[in-house]
Amino acid sequence: MLIIMALLPFLGALLPSLMIRAGRNACAIFTALPTFLALVILLILSPSVMRGEVLQAELAWLPQIGLSASFFLDGLGLLFAGMILGVGLLITLYARFYLSGEDPMGQFYTFLLLFQGAMLGIVLSDNILLLLVFWELTSLSSFLLIGYWKHLPEGRQGARMALAVTGSGGLAMIAGMLILGNIVGSYNLTDILQAGDAIRASDWYLPALILILLGAFTKSAQFPFHFWLPQAMAAPTPVSAYLHSATMVKAGVFLMARMWPVLSGTDAWFNIVTTTGLITMVLGALIALFKNDLKALLAYSTVSQLGLMTMLLGFGTQVAAVAAVFHIINHLTFKAALFMTAGIVDHETHTRDIRRLGGLRHLMPVTFVIATISALSMAGIPFLNGFLSKEMMLEEASHTGLFGSPSALPILATIGALLSVAYSFRFVVHVFLGPVRDDYPHKPHDPPFGMWAAPALLACLVVLIGVAPFLAEGIVTAAANAVTGADLHPHFKIWHGFTPALWMSVVAVVSGAILLLQYGMLDRVWEALPRPEAKTIFDHLVAAVVAGARRVTEITHNGAISRYLAIFTIASVALGWVAYSGGGLGPRTRDLLAVPLVVAVGWLMLIVATGYVVVNHHHRFRALVLIGVIGLTVSAGFVYLSAPDLALTQISVETVTIMLLLLALHFLPKVTPRESSLALRLRDGAIATVAGLGVGGLAYAFLLRDTDTISDYFIANSYEGGGGTNVVNVILVDFRGFDTYGEIIVLGIAGFLIFSLMHALLDGPAAKRLRARDYSQDRSHDRHPLMMVVVTRVLMPIAMVVGIYIFLRGHNAPGGGFVAGLVVAIALLMQYMASGFAWTQARKRIEYHTLIGMGVVIAGLTGAGAWLFGQPFLTSAYTYVHIAPVEEFELATAMLFDLGVFLTVLGAVMLMLYSLSRIARFAGETVNMEPMDYDPSEHVDDGKVKV
Amino acid sequence: MMHWIVLPIVLPAMVAPLIGFVMRNDITMARITSLVSTALLLCIAIGLTAMAAQGETLTYRLGDWPAPFGIVMVLDRLSALMVLLTASLALIVLIHAIATGWDARGRHFHVLFQFQLMGICGAFLTGDVFNLFVFFEVLLIASYGLMIHAGGRARMRAGLQYVVMNLAGSTLFLFALGTLYASTGTLNIADLAAKIPTIPPDDAALVRVAAMLLMIVFAVKAAVFPVQFWLPATYSNAPAPVAALFAIMTKVGAYAILRVHTLAFGPGVPGTEGMAGTWLFPAAIVTIAIGAFGVIGARRLMPLIAFSVVGSMGTLLAAVAVFSPTATTAALYYMVHSTFAAACLFLIADLVVTRRQSDTLDPIPATVQNGLFAALFFAAAIGMAGMPPLSGFLGKLLVLDALRAPGMIGWAWTAILLGSLLTIVGFARAGSNLFWKSTTLSEPALDPGEQRGDAARSRTATAAQLAPAMAALAVLAGLAAFAGPAAAYFEDTSTQLFDRSGYVAAVLGTGEED
């Protein structure tokens, strides 16, 4: 039942948004429905709570960190839940008449219910992590409510400010609660409330206290976080009345009350909470007095009253706690009523500026009565409820010392009371009294009954409790006992005799009235005083943070690849070195070999070629040729080191790459411009050198050490298990065929990628530049020379045969599908170079996409074929076949796989070539359908040469 | 035989070339095939997760060669979880891409998409570091293709950054693998996990270098400081559905660190113990700061989201850096959460940006369905910023709870909480400008040149376009509502991950089961 009650507002939250389609009344009724139901449940539960029982309900949620959806209802929870739901109903009624036809009412009520649910959750949570969940939810839903009038800049800014301030407090509180839970070993409030001594004795007490108080102070708008509350007044008045007087801002006070048994009673608590409350009370009241906006006045008065409650809780005595609880109720009644009357005045006169108001008592008598009763209660006039709790506050203050001074606190408390008398009187005098004016922005009159019903009801309560305070004793006792954990029986009386508190009260009322009489003079003094404007400071702070963050981000993430790479390289080298020096290196187990002359020459060639590339990389063509040289030298190195497979692969990869790069270079400037300064190049050079030395050192370190590797297994099992004597090939297509499968896919994707890149390029702005290219420069006059055409034609079948040969022998001797694919691709590439792409293209039969697709599919199907035989993917099989007159030969499924490799490689290379040629033709390269520019066989007859 | 294990790799690898060469001229056929295949992948992933949930570590020996000689795929709770995450995200993103027509704005979207899935699933399933390298290559080249899908100047530039940084990472990967092989003689993760603990610290220099370099490689993928620079530009310039899919790509890096640095170099390994965490933790903290600064300072919506992804990776890796089962539980929860949160934001941003025709945060008159988009954005931002009631808040609590070690708590809590604050403020500013302030501006005067733009502004989002983002939100809500059972699964997952001997026995075991 408790859980249902807690969740009812959430469950009903979508109803208003839906029911608005049935009209505004239906919408309001369906908003009130879940609230009303929850209230009914609360009333059903209340008798047992009033008897002192604590109701509990629990649902598991995230037991790993001790978060459970557990709720409990004790006196304090009952008080707050009653306030939240009761005022919620009144606000629903009030808002129905307050909101205009243009405002999306369904949305408003949905937000309101969400907020109500979150607030209800806070006061019912039996788990502080669950409480945090609801705590943050109130921040979020109040963000939506404050920003409800999204067209008002004040609304948007106020909403963001409220979210930033209360959100940051909430985050601090997360930390505080986690610490608290860790001290106790449980996040359940019931457990925590039992562990007060352990908490106060813990080393972590102070951090936890400060962090939790940060949450409470921000939420309850305590100095120096008070500034968001007045800014939040841009919200529609029902929101101000609900969130910013009755409920949300009291969440902080609630939390301090809830934690009172475990956190209070220390010097730290007393000093921090009392001082903060006192400053807030006096400062808030002072500012309130000089505000001309009705709602701003009320906002600062709320700040001040919250300060009062905070201060009372800070005292740490049981009587003060009772006073705090009592004042929570009293403040709720008069302040909600005042906000609603302010809303009525605004609604009727179209202004909230006190300077433009006055004399309304004749025009709006009902509103006047309600406002006067509430304001006098706020001022602490006898027979109204505000008087009772204010007397208790002054009584407590009169015998509490602060920082060693016995009189500081009573004096300051009296000043606070005095100022609140002044602003309360001002609310009545400057708005309702005085002569009727004829310059109201809108001719005012009393609103319909629906609008003043809610404040009137609250005003009745003000009087009722004020005259017969014993009526509130029951609920205050229940709540105060829940706060203090003691068994108290407070009795509220109007007359206590001539106590110090009474004299303080008298002083406050009299001087407050005098202050108001002198208001004109005081206001001029106030206006002349320099006052730090909290909103401006906050705005500047946010602007500074944004600007600073933007600067840092934009400088660091400026898109300079060279810098990113430099950082990456430095980090790799530095961390690699750190890792290296953290462990020892075993003794070396191999001796250095002597350097034969041929190796030395090769090494020198590599060094020289590399150095040349570094120095001359601006000349792209030269650099490319040199890179080719480097590649070939490396291939020679492989040959020398008895790795023919590697050498073969390297050579063919090298050839294809260089050829494709040459073709690509065609579309690029011939020279790279110098873009970096000498210093930058020196820096990069140093980084590159260090990184190179690092890699070299690493290689050197492991070349000198033997390790047992898994390679022995491959050599031992290549023939037996894989059916091939070329271990490298068997590794590629069998032992680690899955790697190869992945790699041919990479190659295939590269083909597809370049193709789609080419399309993207030709569809984009680059196409224009290509078309506009000056294509006449540096042209060869004989682009398809006779000699080359003839030679490549002759070479073609030979290359094909070589390709097939390499492919077939691959399993037992150097070769294989990869190299074969490249060899055939080279043969075809040469045709293109000789006769142009169009001519070659016209003679091809199979789409390149298809080649790639077929290749990948064949390889995949070969792998999947093993499934038919109950074997894992890529399991190979081989057999020996003898067909006369051919010698006995081997057939292996690995060969089929290799065929897939072959096709993919061929397809990918050709697709890249095709993409390049598309770009070339786009750029205006002429298409020749003839094999060569000059064909002697066609022109011998007339002895003339056509050009 | 358990062929199921290899299916998440083989299925997309077979479908992709089919789309590529049979259906490349018919977008409808390609769409249907791609959708069916991805849905099948999801079914397979669910099946695999159910299998893994039994608690046994299952292996699949490719080519029937025994480990460590051949390549094995390993299915345990962690890899199954990652595959499931991938498949469900992929389906959401794919529907979005099709519904919004992104897939038709360039060539070969579905081919690259399927290959991308193959690469990601492969990286999650493989039990061999060299094979991991191969799958890194597959997913890198496929993701590069997806990233520059539909072309455009800014996208090409950002794509270059992406591919260059990641190729540098690949190169370093090879160096690391060479060092690793030279010092251990094997590249099978289980074999490494069996051998490296036997290496005494005074002979561990090379293995330590390998471990560190591998971590940098994975950090490039996971976008951790100081190698995170590529991410913001890449994600914010990629087509939005691709950026949403990339939410899983950073997780590949995080997963690899979890897998390799826990099993092979993790707790109980004398030579390398503690090294990864020592360096990863401060890096993660700085990453959180970078992400938060980027969010609060963003001028445009897409970079804002991209930086929030950076921040979330920092939070995730801070938890990973602890290398304990409890912290790993938190990390896994946060990983699932942040994947869907990021994807959801990108998908919603796509709907908004295509209508606004600009991703600047300047107020532009409100577009059609302003309220709906505002609500979706609000919800997704709540998820990302780690506010209740979505899973981000619980994830954050779990991570904070896991980072209680005395040397960590101050830095980690300050960074995560302040980072959250900046993120909240940043998203609030952005949302307020995009959806609130915009309502105050009137429609611009129509001039003929803007006719086309106006049509885009008022094109209402169809159910199919909204469904994917909502599905992602639903996942976040579900993850929050069922946090208990989810966290219990993640607890089992991390316990299994830290059971090194169990893993080694399952992979290298006698192999008699088949």
Side-chain angles (χ1 to χ4, degrees):
Chain A
M1 204 131 145
L2 199 55
I3 294 177
I4 296 174
M5 181 179 91
L7 295 182
L8 260 173
F10 289 123
L11 296 176
L14 282 180
L15 276 179
S17 288
L18 195 65
M19 294 313 293
I20 187 68
R21 290 168 190 274
R24 289 154 65 85
N25 284 331
C27 181
I29 289 169
F30 275 88
T31 310
L33 190 69
T35 317
F36 183 71
L37 283 178
L39 196 58
V40 168
I41 298 179
L42 188 72
L43 288 177
I44 295 171
L45 297 176
S46 61
S48 52
V49 177
M50 296 293 270
R51 281 195 303 272
E53 289 175 34
V54 175
L55 304 174
Q56 283 178 304
E58 182 169 352
L59 281 178
W61 190 2
L62 186 54
Q64 284 79 1
I65 47 165
L67 166 63
S68 61
S70 48
F71 296 95
F72 80 138
L73 184 66
D74 63 353
L76 187 64
L78 180 69
L79 169 66
F80 270 91
M83 281 167 31
I84 292 160
L85 294 170
V87 180
L89 274 181
L90 296 180
I91 293 292
T92 309
L93 171 68
Y94 179 76
R96 158 67 188 85
F97 294 94
Y98 180 85
L99 291 178
S100 77
E102 291 148 24
D103 297 320
M105 186 187 261
Q107 210 180 55
F108 180 83
Y109 278 135
T110 297
F111 294 164
L112 200 70
L113 280 178
L114 285 178
F115 168 77
Q116 192 180 68
M119 200 58 215
L120 202 56
I122 290 183
V123 302
L124 295 178
S125 294
D126 185 17
N127 183 296
I128 52 175
L129 296 180
L130 184 69
L131 190 146
L132 284 176
V133 170
F134 289 119
W135 189 274
E136 297 286 49
L137 280 178
T138 57
S139 297
L140 287 174
S141 48
S142 78
F143 171 75
L144 292 174
L145 282 167
I146 299 171
Y148 174 70
W149 280 329
K150 42 188 175 280
H151 51 276
L152 298 179
E154 301 83 25
R156 298 194 299 266
Q157 288 159 12
R160 292 209 307 264
M161 188 188 288
L163 182 68
V165 176
T166 60
S168 59
L171 291 167
M173 213 169 89
I174 293 178
M177 292 300 196
L178 284 173
I179 294 174
L180 196 64
N182 202 36
I183 298 173
V184 180
S186 160
Y187 289 102
N188 275 347
L189 257 176
T190 21
D191 296 334
I192 290 171
L193 291 180
Q194 306 298 321
D197 293 331
I199 292 169
R200 284 186 293 267
S202 163
D203 291 342
W204 286 94
Y205 167 73
L206 196 60
L209 175 70
I210 292 173
L211 290 167
I212 292 175
L213 284 180
L214 272 177
F217 287 171
T218 49
K219 204 69 148 185
S220 282
Q222 296 298 294
F223 179 83
F225 309 112
H226 60 284
F227 55 88
W228 70 264
L229 184 58
Q231 299 303 322
M233 289 302 140
T237 302
V239 175
S240 309
Y242 194 34
L243 273 68
H244 304 133
S245 75
T247 54
M248 190 174 89
V249 291
K250 294 232 174 74
V253 176
F254 167 81
L255 187 77
M256 285 186 272
R258 185 93 276 177
M259 293 292 170
W260 193 86
V262 291
L263 294 180
S264 76
T266 61
D267 285 345
W269 168 275
F270 176 81
N271 288 335
I272 298 174
V273 180
T274 307
T275 316
T276 309
L278 187 63
I279 295 176
T280 312
M281 179 172 82
V282 176
L283 195 70
L286 184 66
I287 302 175
L289 181 58
F290 296 102
K291 282 292 165 188
N292 291 319
D293 178 358
L294 271 183
K295 281 178 77 179
L297 185 151
L298 291 178
Y300 278 105
S301 88
T302 307
V303 169
S304 167
Q305 304 277 342
L306 290 167
L308 187 156
M309 296 175 220
T310 305
M311 181 180 78
L312 282 172
L313 289 169
F315 287 171
T317 62
Q318 293 180 343
V319 184
V322 173
V325 170
F326 193 26
H327 195 67
I328 288 172
I329 301 178
N330 297 336
H331 176 250
L332 162 91
T333 49
F334 65 68
K335 188 54 66 64
L338 281 173
F339 263 117
M340 289 196 231
T341 47
I344 291 173
V345 169
D346 184 18
H347 200 261
E348 296 300 324
T349 64
H350 293 196
T351 180
R352 298 196 313 240
D353 192 335
I354 297 178
R355 287 166 302 187
R356 303 193 60 184
L357 295 168
L360 291 181
R361 76 179 186 282
H362 301 293
L363 301 165
M364 306 171 74
V366 179
T367 316
F368 167 61
V369 172
I370 298 170
T372 309
I373 292 173
S374 316
L376 292 181
S377 176
M378 181 158 75
I381 302 299
F383 303 111
L384 297 171
N385 61 1
F387 170 74
L388 301 163
S389 42
K390 183 166 285 186
E391 284 291 289
M392 293 169 79
M393 181 276 283
L394 291 172
E395 173 66 30
E396 281 302 300
S398 68
H399 52 73
T400 307
L402 185 66
F403 298 125
S405 156
S407 55
L409 212 153
I411 291 175
L412 285 170
T414 311
I415 292 177
L418 179 162
L419 289 168
S420 64
V421 169
Y423 67 66
S424 303
F425 284 178
R426 184 171 176 235
F427 186 87
V428 177
V429 173
H430 287 185
V431 175
F432 292 98
L433 303 183
V436 175
R437 300 167 63 152
D438 50 11
D439 60 346
Y440 304 116
H442 185 262
K443 181 80 180 155
H445 54 77
D446 267 323
F449 171 72
M451 203 155 167
W452 60 259
L457 184 68
L458 290 168
C460 289
L461 281 176
V462 167
V463 179
L464 205 60
I465 301 175
V467 176
F470 58 86
L471 289 176
E473 270 173 21
I475 179 69
V476 173
T477 308
N481 287 347
V483 172
T484 56
D487 191 19
L488 305 172
H489 296 282
H491 293 288
F492 303 132
K493 288 184 294 187
I494 303 172
W495 180 250
H496 291 269
F498 293 98
T499 54
L502 187 68
W503 292 118
M504 286 157 83
S505 217
V506 170
V507 169
V509 173
V510 173
S511 352
I514 295 170
L515 222 54
L516 190 64
L517 290 176
Q518 302 299 320
Y519 185 77
M521 191 259 296
L522 288 174
D523 192 42
R524 278 192 296 282
V525 174
W526 176 259
E527 289 300 328
L529 285 177
R531 283 158 296 148
E533 190 63 51
K535 180 180 185 304
T536 327
I537 297 174
F538 178 84
D539 286 348
H540 278 114
L541 183 69
V542 172
V545 169
V546 169
R550 186 171 283 171
R551 223 178 127 68
V552 169
T553 306
E554 285 175 358
I555 289 179
T556 49
H557 293 75
N558 64 349
I561 303 181
S562 60
R563 183 178 344 140
Y564 297 174
L565 283 176
I567 294 172
F568 165 80
T569 315
I570 293 171
S572 303
V573 173
L575 287 178
W577 175 253
V578 166
Y580 178 81
S581 32
L585 191 61
R588 66 189 209 191
T589 53
R590 289 185 195 166
D591 290 327
L592 286 175
L593 299 174
V595 183
L597 185 63
V598 57
V599 174
V601 170
W603 184 77
L604 206 65
M605 267 179 71
L606 265 183
I607 299 285
V608 170
T610 310
Y612 189 83
V613 172
V614 170
V615 175
N616 279 301
H617 73 276
H618 296 285
H619 303 280
R620 293 176 170 175
F621 184 75
R622 262 184 257 168
L624 195 59
V625 172
L626 260 297
I627 288 173
V629 171
I630 295 170
L632 288 178
T633 317
V634 170
S635 312
F638 287 141
V639 173
Y640 177 79
L641 293 169
S642 324
D645 270 290
L646 283 185
L648 204 53
T649 313
Q650 179 76 26
I651 289 173
S652 32
V653 168
E654 214 44 67
T655 314
V656 172
T657 316
I658 297 288
M659 282 168 110
L660 287 176
L661 276 175
L662 276 176
L663 290 171
L665 210 54
H666 191 57
F667 307 105
L668 297 171
K670 303 289 172 277
V671 178
T672 315
R674 265 187 211 283
E675 283 169 328
S676 40
S677 63
L678 182 67
L680 215 56
R681 272 179 283 147
L682 282 179
R683 180 203 75 177
D684 292 347
I687 294 171
T689 311
V690 173
L693 286 176
V695 175
L698 202 58
Y700 185 73
F702 61 68
L703 282 176
L704 290 179
R705 279 159 189 83
D706 283 306
T707 318
D708 292 329
T709 69
I710 52 172
S711 57
D712 299 336
Y713 177 89
F714 297 138
I715 296 167
N717 286 279
S718 170
Y719 188 72
E720 290 272 307
T725 50
N726 177 5
V727 184
V728 176
N729 184 269
V730 177
I731 289 177
L732 284 178
V733 298
D734 202 337
F735 290 123
R736 302 195 64 102
F738 202 52
D739 283 342
T740 311
Y741 185 54
E743 289 296 353
I744 59 169
I745 285 175
V746 172
L747 200 60
I749 301 171
F752 279 112
L753 175 65
I754 291 171
F755 180 78
S756 55
L757 198 60
M758 177 267 295
H759 268 281
L761 205 68
L762 297 187
D763 291 344
K768 214 183 254 172
R769 286 207 306 279
L770 267 179
R771 278 207 188 285
R773 242 176 83 92
D774 176 15
Y775 218 70
S776 58
Q777 50 157 9
D778 273 354
R779 309 293 304 165
S780 160
H781 295 292
D782 189 8
R783 289 194 304 143
H784 304 294
L786 171 68
M787 287 294 284
M788 188 162 168
V789 172
V790 174
V791 170
T792 53
R793 291 290 184 285
V794 173
L795 271 178
M796 168 106 173
I798 301 172
M800 288 294 189
V801 170
V802 170
I804 293 167
Y805 171 70
I806 287 180
F807 174 77
L808 286 178
R809 74 179 206 145
H811 218 44
N812 293 312
F818 189 81
V819 181
L822 288 176
V823 169
V824 172
I826 292 170
L828 294 175
L829 258 172
M830 287 193 302
Q831 308 307 313
Y832 164 69
M833 294 191 113
S835 296
F837 198 84
W839 184 88
T840 324
Q841 184 79 352
R843 278 150 190 82
K844 79 161 182 172
R845 299 277 153 76
I846 309 175
E847 281 281 333
Y848 303 130
H849 284 89
T850 313
L851 275 182
I852 299 178
M854 293 281 282
V856 173
V857 168
I858 287 177
L861 283 179
T862 312
W867 290 345
L868 299 177
F869 302 94
Q871 295 294 318
F873 194 69
L874 284 177
T875 305
S876 66
Y878 61 92
T879 182
Y880 292 91
V881 183
H882 184 85
I883 308 169
V886 186
E887 224 179 299
E888 185 181 68
F889 63 96
E890 182 194 359
L891 271 183
T893 55
M895 192 172 271
L896 212 53
F897 181 78
D898 225 7
L899 178 67
V901 176
F902 171 83
L903 291 175
T904 312
V905 170
L906 182 62
V909 173
M910 294 315 289
L911 194 56
M912 294 173 196
L913 181 64
Y914 170 71
S915 304
L916 280 173
S917 84
R918 272 294 302 270
I919 296 176
R921 282 166 53 188
F922 200 84
E925 187 178 290
T926 47
V927 175
N928 62 320
M929 296 314 293
E930 299 300 322
M932 51 199 104
D933 291 344
Y934 170 68
D935 187 347
S937 62
E938 287 176 11
H939 308 294
V940 280
D941 304 358
D942 51 2
K944 281 186 207 159
V945 174
K946 273 195 246 168
V947 179
Chain B
M1 279 309 296
M2 308 280 289
H3 297 306
W4 291 105
I5 298 178
V6 81
L7 269 186
I9 304 165
V10 175
L11 175 73
M14 297 296 265
V15 170
L18 276 180
I19 299 174
F21 80 91
V22 182
M23 320 170 181
R24 71 174 188 279
N25 295 320
D26 187 317
I27 186 80
T28 310
M29 206 150 68
R31 280 173 174 176
I32 292 172
T33 315
S34 192
L35 264 182
V36 169
S37 164
T38 312
L40 271 179
L41 183 68
L42 183 58
C43 296
I44 295 167
I46 292 170
L48 288 179
T49 312
M51 263 157 64
Q54 308 291 322
E56 208 183 326
T57 302
L58 302 167
T59 61
Y60 187 80
R61 292 153 43 166
L62 286 148
D64 207 22
W65 295 106
F69 310 106
I71 297 167
V72 281
M73 298 291 117
V74 182
L75 181 80
D76 60 0
R77 285 198 181 91
L78 181 58
S79 47
L81 171 72
M82 299 310 292
V83 171
L84 181 62
L85 188 61
T86 310
S88 34
L89 180 72
L91 192 60
I92 288 174
V93 169
L94 187 62
I95 294 173
H96 182 96
I98 292 174
T100 53
W102 263 109
D103 60 342
R105 294 192 203 172
R107 294 298 177 108
H108 294 319
F109 180 86
H110 294 285
V111 179
L112 295 167
F113 191 87
Q114 292 298 327
F115 275 134
Q116 170 86 10
L117 292 185
M118 175 220 173
I120 297 173
C121 290
F124 289 143
L125 283 169
T126 189
D128 185 289
V129 260
F130 189 82
N131 198 233
L132 182 65
F133 169 77
V134 172
F135 283 116
F136 267 37
E137 295 298 288
V138 174
L139 66 85
L140 169 62
I141 190 131
S143 64
Y144 177 57
L146 286 174
M147 201 247 132
I148 56 172
H149 176 74
R153 190 186 174 88
R155 192 168 289 152
M156 292 293 187
R157 276 171 76 104
L160 189 68
Q161 281 182 35
Y162 172 67
V163 80
V164 167
M165 276 306 281
N166 279 280
L167 280 178
S170 294
T171 313
L172 191 66
F173 203 163
L174 282 181
F175 292 166
L177 289 180
T179 314
L180 197 58
Y181 188 75
S183 48
T184 62
T186 184
L187 290 174
N188 177 290
I189 296 174
D191 205 21
L192 289 171
K195 281 186 177 153
I196 295 176
T198 65
I199 299 177
D202 56 6
D203 194 20
L206 289 180
V207 171
R208 288 172 60 87
V209 174
M212 189 62 99
L213 296 187
L214 276 179
M215 196 177 75
I216 298 172
V217 172
F218 301 150
V220 172
K221 282 274 177 289
V224 187
F225 175 80
V227 283
Q228 87 296 348
F229 294 103
W230 60 271
L231 187 139
T234 305
Y235 280 34
S236 50
N237 286 302
V242 173
L245 181 70
F246 281 10
I248 191 77
M249 295 267 293
T250 43
K251 310 309 185 283
V252 176
Y255 163 84
I257 293 179
L258 261 185
R259 174 69 82 194
V260 175
H261 286 80
T262 302
L263 278 176
F265 309 115
V269 179
T272 54
E273 183 171 10
M275 184 180 69
T278 310
W279 291 96
L280 188 57
F281 179 73
I285 297 300
V286 179
T287 312
I288 295 175
I290 292 173
F293 281 166
V295 169
I296 187 100
R299 292 175 202 267
R300 296 188 299 127
L301 180 58
M302 297 298 271
L304 182 136
I305 303 174
F307 274 105
S308 75
V309 172
V310 173
S312 76
M313 286 314 290
T315 310
L316 169 59
L317 286 157
V320 168
V322 181
F323 290 107
S324 80
T326 324
T328 304
T329 306
L332 290 176
Y333 186 92
Y334 194 81
M335 170 145 68
V336 176
H337 152 76
S338 61
T339 306
F340 282 104
C344 184
L345 270 174
F346 277 119
L347 295 183
I348 292 166
D350 182 38
L351 297 177
V352 176
V353 169
T354 30
R355 278 163 191 80
R356 285 171 59 94
Q357 311 219 306
S358 140
D359 77 334
T360 57
L361 296 174
D362 306 332
I364 295 175
T367 63
V368 69
Q369 290 174 306
N370 187 47
L372 177 66
F373 293 143
L376 287 174
F377 181 79
F378 184 70
I382 283 176
M384 197 56 167
M387 298 283 269
L390 297 178
S391 49
F393 186 73
L394 302 178
K396 190 159 71 187
L397 281 187
L398 279 163
V399 171
L400 288 173
D401 192 51
L403 291 168
R404 280 183 190 277
M408 290 181 165
I409 185 165
W411 287 106
W413 285 24
T414 311
I416 292 176
L417 293 173
L418 280 182
S420 295
L421 177 63
L422 293 184
T423 310
I424 292 167
V425 174
F427 272 110
R429 285 168 56 90
S432 158
N433 268 353
L434 287 175
F435 302 111
W436 284 356
K437 204 168 182 181
S438 57
T439 55
T440 59
L441 305 168
S442 54
E443 287 289 328
L446 270 185
D447 69 57
E450 288 177 24
Q451 287 292 357
R452 199 177 70 88
D454 201 63
R457 294 172 51 77
S458 53
R459 195 173 298 134
T460 50
T462 62
Q465 288 172 352
L466 292 168
M470 288 181 173
L473 276 178
V475 173
L476 295 185
L479 196 61
F482 301 103
Y489 182 83
F490 299 142
E491 240 177 351
D492 292 342
T493 307
S494 51
T495 313
Q496 192 182 26
L497 176 67
F498 279 82
D499 176 17
R500 178 184 295 121
S501 54
Y503 183 88
V504 172
V507 176
L508 298 185
T510 45
E512 294 305 318
E513 68 271 10
D514 48 319

